[in-house]
């Protein structure tokens, strides 16, 4: 079994610690249960879209032998959706995404290897502007050893 850990929970908690800088509250996906309508502030929804796990990492020892570790490289694709009150306009979504990425890279110093987003759309069912975004990071994860 591969353990990614509490990555989403940690990022959500840290983002909310910096909520003033990013301009809104962050929740774990799926956000609908967290929304009160009409929305009064920008909200962010973070979840994992895809995890690509590589082979076990091998380490060459000083004596020339190879040790296969329980660690693997993983490429994790996160979904970061931005919801802003319709009255704030679509620019609030793009500004929110930019601020969230800035916090991730500058404050948390996470190496984001790719990021992007779709165009802002209006979701009539919840009365908000929505920007669907993503970012990708590389992380070393560890396998659990099965209990004996």
């Amino acid at each position: 079994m591969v353990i990614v850990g509490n990555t989403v929970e940690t990022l959500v908690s840290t983002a909310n610690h910096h909520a003033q800088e990013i301009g809104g509250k962050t929740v774990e996906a799926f956000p609908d249960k967290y929304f009160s309508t009409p929305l009064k502030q920008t909200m962010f929804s973070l979840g994992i879209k895809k995890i690509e796990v590589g082979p076990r990492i091998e380490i060459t020892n000083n004596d020339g032998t190879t040790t296969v570790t329980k660690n693997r490289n993983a490429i994790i694709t996160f979904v970061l959706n931005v919801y802003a009150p319709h009255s704030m306009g679509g620019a609030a979504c793009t500004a929110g995404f930019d601020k969230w990425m800035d916090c991730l890279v500058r404050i948390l110093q996470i190496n984001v290897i790719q990021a992007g987003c779709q165009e802002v759309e209006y979701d009539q069912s919840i009365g908000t502007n929505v920007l669907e975004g993503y970012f990708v990071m590389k992380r070393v994860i560890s396998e659990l050893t099965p209990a004996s």
Side-chain angles (χ1 to χ4, degrees):
M1 171 184 251
V2 176
I3 302 299
V4 175
N6 59 353
T7 305
V8 171
E9 182 181 315
T10 300
L11 288 174
V12 167
S13 175
T14 304
N16 285 329
H17 180 72
H18 296 282
Q20 190 164 358
E21 289 97 328
I22 65 171
K25 180 180 177 180
T26 302
V27 297
E28 291 183 43
F30 298 92
D32 295 354
K33 66 181 178 184
Y34 300 103
F35 282 177
S36 59
T37 53
L39 200 59
K40 295 190 182 356
Q41 68 172 357
T42 302
M43 289 191 67
F44 304 89
S45 170
L46 181 68
I48 294 177
K49 179 178 183 175
K50 179 171 72 169
I51 302 173
E52 298 173 48
V53 180
R56 289 188 178 103
I57 297 171
E58 296 183 4
I59 299 172
T60 303
N61 302 314
N62 290 338
D63 63 3
T65 61
T66 302
T67 302
V68 178
T69 69
K70 298 271 186 205
N71 297 332
R72 297 173 181 245
N73 285 315
I75 305 294
I76 306 171
T77 303
F78 292 87
V79 175
L80 178 65
N81 293 335
V82 184
Y83 301 83
H86 187 61
S87 62
M88 294 174 71
C93 287
T94 55
F97 185 80
D98 185 50
K99 289 177 184 178
W100 215 98
M101 287 292 104
D102 184 58
C103 179
L104 192 64
V105 172
R106 190 176 51 81
I107 296 173
L108 303 179
Q109 299 184 348
I110 290 178
N111 184 16
V112 174
I113 58 176
Q114 187 178 1
C117 58
Q118 303 293 323
E119 291 184 17
V120 176
E121 294 184 359
Y122 177 69
D123 185 338
Q124 189 171 4
S125 66
I126 56 176
T128 64
N129 295 314
V130 181
L131 176 109
E132 295 179 5
Y134 74 94
F135 64 94
V136 181
M137 66 185 236
K138 187 175 181 180
R139 182 170 180 198
V140 175
I141 59 175
S142 183
E143 286 186 7
L144 282 179
T145 305
S148 311

